[in-house]
Amino acid sequence: TTTASATTITTTASTLSSFASSVGSTVAPLAPTQTSVPEGIVNMIIKIKHTFTPDLANSSSSAYKELVANVTGELNRYYATVYPAFKRTEILSFTNGSINVNFNLVFNNVSSVPIINSTSNSLQAGLNKSQVFLDVDPASIVDTRTVLTTAAPTTTTAAPTTTTAAATTTTT
């Protein structure tokens, strides 16, 4: 049945192309369109036991970029081992108070977001077992449980369109 269906589609496309060329028409190719699949996001805050410096508030500074790379690298490595649907960490800000790190954990979709307190509890467990190599105050870990969605683009194909050229007649 699948093969017959594929053959029918090919024949139909071929027939349309032949018909279009015989009447002076063009068949536009299928155009991709964007649709959305919502990602699940959990917001968290942790406190890193280091001294905050003003350049950590500037996302253009080398200190900010270095700390983002260190924190996201470590959290991405750890959470990927704990949650199969985990995609990435997004740092939102660093603020004073040692270094408070406000970040999002992004999951494949809303239904794959872990249950309440799971992300904070698993990070505390990882720190206790020396599986996470960040100098985090375990008592500071807060899972704010704000679950948001964002649009992750996926590609689908739209139906073909046909344009017909006007017929011309020459009389001598």
Side-chain angles (χ1 to χ4, degrees):
T1 305
T2 304
T3 304
S5 177
T7 303
T8 303
I9 291 170
T10 303
T11 303
T12 304
S14 175
T15 304
L16 284 174
S17 293
S18 296
F19 175 75
S21 61
S22 70
V23 295
S25 300
T26 57
V27 176
L30 300 177
T33 58
Q34 295 285 321
T35 58
S36 298
V37 175
E39 296 177 323
I41 299 176
V42 175
N43 180 254
M44 293 184 65
I45 299 171
I46 59 174
K47 182 180 288 194
I48 297 177
K49 298 185 250 178
H50 292 282
T51 303
F52 179 83
T53 56
D55 54 345
L56 292 175
N58 177 0
S59 63
S60 299
S61 75
S62 59
Y64 179 94
K65 290 175 183 177
E66 183 179 326
L67 189 55
V68 165
N70 290 338
V71 172
T72 57
E74 193 59 24
L75 292 175
N76 286 346
R77 182 194 60 75
Y78 178 69
Y79 279 113
T81 65
V82 178
Y83 301 108
F86 174 77
K87 290 177 77 174
R88 67 185 176 279
T89 303
E90 298 173 343
I91 301 296
L92 302 176
S93 65
F94 299 120
T95 56
N96 197 1
S98 291
I99 301 173
N100 292 315
V101 183
N102 183 4
F103 61 97
N104 285 336
L105 299 177
V106 181
F107 295 85
N108 288 337
N109 54 54
V110 175
S111 64
S112 64
V113 172
I115 62 171
I116 195 161
N117 294 325
S118 178
T119 52
S120 56
N121 290 340
S122 64
L123 182 55
Q124 287 175 343
L127 289 165
N128 292 338
K129 295 176 183 177
S130 299
Q131 295 172 328
V132 178
F133 302 105
L134 292 172
D135 194 12
V136 174
D137 174 3
S140 73
I141 301 171
V142 177
D143 176 347
T144 63
R145 302 308 312 156
T146 304
V147 180
L148 310 168
T149 60
T150 60
T154 58
T155 302
T156 59
T157 306
T161 57
T162 303
T163 306
T164 306
T168 58
T169 305
T170 305
T171 306
T172 55

